[in-house]
Amino acid sequence: MNLKGGEIARYLARPDPSRPALLIYGQDAMRVALKRAEAVRALVGERAEEEMRLTRMAGGGLKKDPAQLLDAIKEVGFFPGQRVVLVEDTPDSGAEAVRVALEEWQPGDAVIVVTAGGLAKSSALRKLFEGHREAVAAPIYDDPPGEDEIARWLSEAGLREVPRDAMRDLLALARALDPGDLRQVIEKIGLYKHGDPAPLTPSEVALMAPATIEADLDELLHVVAEGRAGEFGALMRRIEGQGVAPVTLCIAALRHFRA
């Protein structure tokens, strides 16, 4: 099953433990890591590692030792509760080991959480998860967090009263910062507002925001000139968030290439 649109963030916030496996993949390793951490925490809680209910393994080793995944999901833990086997940075060569584990999976076994980088439509991992009736594939795009996701982070940080003007400023900040940095800003706001029942204000958002989020125009121009397409989108979002006018970009580009 392949998740789309808003259902991706909603599912990863509360994954279904009755489903055998979850694939989280995307070009941005930081975004994938954040979503993976969120999903695993929702499945097994904060103390899973110390209670030995979370098993980690490198996806690159599955081809050499495919049985390790099946053995891990069938293990019986010392502590009661949901278990997860986390398979990180999984290449397509690990798809066969995952397929075997899915075929052998039974209710009560550990949930398999697989992470991977950008996967093409022809990817064996993608085809395995998207075509499976119970397993779930969650593609992570480079889009900034939306209002629902930001509202959930605010709630987790203890903030309930967030008026529209403060949310508007947080949405603008989301276009200028990486998701991990934005999450840190929201946690900082939560600490700042601890014990303060007054609604969050735009001035408080500005106070907690990074001192500078300016992106150097020269950096953007070098990214374009050198064809570093993977870095372009995130940098353009930062430039847009700063309110840089298109004509400013055009003038800077003209000067750069003339020089």
Side-chain angles (χ1 to χ4, degrees):
M1 181 176 74
N2 189 39
L3 299 177
K4 297 179 181 179
E7 56 187 23
I8 296 172
R10 288 193 295 270
Y11 185 87
L12 294 180
R14 292 185 178 181
D16 183 353
S18 69
R19 292 185 176 274
L22 168 64
L23 169 66
I24 306 173
Y25 69 94
Q27 292 284 358
D28 191 320
M30 175 58 72
R31 292 171 192 262
V32 170
L34 284 169
K35 291 300 185 183
R36 177 261 299 156
E38 182 180 30
V40 169
R41 185 168 58 249
L43 283 166
V44 291
E46 299 283 354
R47 301 182 59 189
E49 289 210 71
E50 60 186 87
E51 294 180 354
M52 295 178 287
R53 293 185 293 108
L54 175 61
T55 302
R56 298 175 182 268
M57 64 180 63
L62 288 182
K63 185 176 181 179
K64 184 178 180 181
D65 183 11
Q68 64 176 314
L69 177 56
L70 182 58
D71 291 343
I73 68 170
K74 296 292 183 181
E75 283 179 0
V76 178
F78 290 105
F79 293 86
Q82 179 67 57
R83 294 183 303 112
V84 162
V85 176
L86 176 59
V87 189
E88 300 185 274
D89 301 321
T90 310
D92 253 13
S93 59
E96 179 60 21
V98 177
R99 183 190 64 77
V100 172
L102 277 172
E103 287 181 352
E104 297 295 329
W105 191 90
Q106 297 291 328
D109 291 345
V111 174
I112 307 165
V113 176
V114 179
T115 67
L119 298 176
K121 288 184 178 180
S122 58
S123 159
L125 270 175
R126 274 189 63 174
K127 287 181 176 180
L128 173 63
F129 277 80
E130 291 175 357
H132 199 279
R133 288 188 303 172
E134 298 296 329
V136 177
I140 306 301
Y141 303 109
D142 291 345
D143 302 328
E147 184 171 346
D148 289 347
E149 192 164 9
I150 292 174
R152 181 161 42 80
W153 291 351
L154 288 165
S155 178
E156 290 171 359
L159 293 156
R160 302 290 188 271
E161 295 292 328
V162 183
R164 288 302 311 167
D165 52 356
M167 178 59 79
R168 182 193 62 230
D169 289 357
L170 285 167
L171 287 167
L173 200 59
R175 294 194 295 271
L177 297 176
D178 290 333
D181 293 335
L182 178 65
R183 188 77 183 260
Q184 289 182 350
V185 168
I186 290 174
E187 289 172 357
K188 186 179 175 183
I189 292 172
L191 290 173
Y192 178 78
K193 293 288 286 180
H194 182 69
D196 180 1
L200 181 66
T201 65
S203 61
E204 289 171 327
V205 173
L207 181 64
M208 295 295 106
T212 176
I213 54 173
E214 292 185 1
D216 191 346
L217 278 177
D218 286 342
E219 183 183 355
L220 178 69
L221 294 171
H222 285 298
V223 163
V224 172
E226 294 168 14
R228 287 145 49 196
E231 301 172 43
F232 178 76
L235 195 51
M236 271 302 299
R237 281 198 301 274
R238 287 170 57 195
I239 292 281
E240 180 188 17
Q242 296 164 31
V244 177
V247 67
T248 304
L249 290 175
C250 292
I251 293 170
L254 184 62
R255 288 174 178 169
H256 175 83
F257 288 108
R258 275 182 174 168

